[in-house]
Amino acid sequence: MKIIIINGPNLNLLGKRETDIYGNLSFDEFFHQLKDKFPQVELSYYQSNVEGELIDTLQEVGFSYDGIILNAAAYTHTSVGIGDAVKAIETPVVEVHISNTFAREEYRHHSYISAGAKGVILGFGLQSYELALQSFV
Ligand code: DQA
């Protein structure tokens, strides 16, 4: 089973960035732990701060992979283009967020991704990714 985690802007700074909200672990460390927990999954990871690169990647994997776990980060709340890409591809997308976006600023309450997603998992810290992965296996 081929699954990819796609992370959007500023998530390359996990472990350093607003640690009270996002925690102290870098995504690389977490990703290795996750791979060890799910050896049966061919798990890959892509991160970009660039909206168009995220869309390119969704299109590249979106007709051959079994699942996409997408944290579009700030683009969640702004990007019609990423929302359209999620709707355009065949691979199911689970939208994840580390924080509970509904408990934060009002502008984080709307997502352009959710309408095209298979499901949404948010607010469980990095465990949100693990729960999303479990939903595919
Ligand atoms: C986030 C929530 C977004 O509102 C924010 O812009 C992020 C991270 C999360 O995982 O909690 O960068 O997607």
Side-chain angles (χ1 to χ4, degrees):
M1 174 176 267
K2 272 175 97 163
I3 308 276
I4 186 168
I5 296 173
I6 300 179
N7 270 347
N10 302 306
L11 292 173
N12 53 315
L13 296 181
L14 282 178
K16 293 184 195 145
R17 164 195 188 206
E18 296 180 279
T19 51
D20 50 323
I21 299 173
Y22 299 114
N24 294 302
L25 203 61
S26 75
F27 199 81
D28 276 353
E29 282 171 80
F30 172 72
F31 182 68
H32 288 299
Q33 292 174 10
L34 200 59
K35 272 187 98 120
D36 288 347
K37 271 196 190 171
F38 293 85
Q40 74 277 33
V41 178
E42 211 180 306
L43 188 62
S44 51
Y45 170 53
Y46 177 78
Q47 190 276 332
S48 176
N49 294 321
V50 180
E51 185 175 10
E53 288 181 357
L54 294 166
I55 294 170
D56 283 346
T57 303
L58 285 165
Q59 291 185 9
E60 268 164 38
V61 299
F63 296 89
S64 56
Y65 277 55
D66 301 298
I68 296 169
I69 297 168
L70 174 63
N71 185 349
Y75 289 140
T76 304
H77 318 299
T78 62
S79 179
V80 175
I82 295 178
D84 281 353
V86 166
K87 287 180 185 151
I89 60 180
E90 283 170 4
T91 301
V93 173
V94 173
E95 175 184 355
V96 305
H97 299 285
I98 298 163
S99 63
N100 176 359
T101 48
F102 293 106
R104 300 180 65 193
E105 300 91 335
E106 184 114 24
Y107 62 83
R108 296 186 203 272
H109 297 184
H110 179 260
S111 165
Y112 283 99
I113 314 298
S114 304
K118 184 181 174 197
V120 183
I121 298 171
L122 56 88
F124 293 95
L126 288 173
Q127 206 197 346
S128 297
Y129 293 92
E130 184 175 339
L131 294 169
L133 191 50
Q134 260 165 24
S135 79
F136 283 116
V137 295

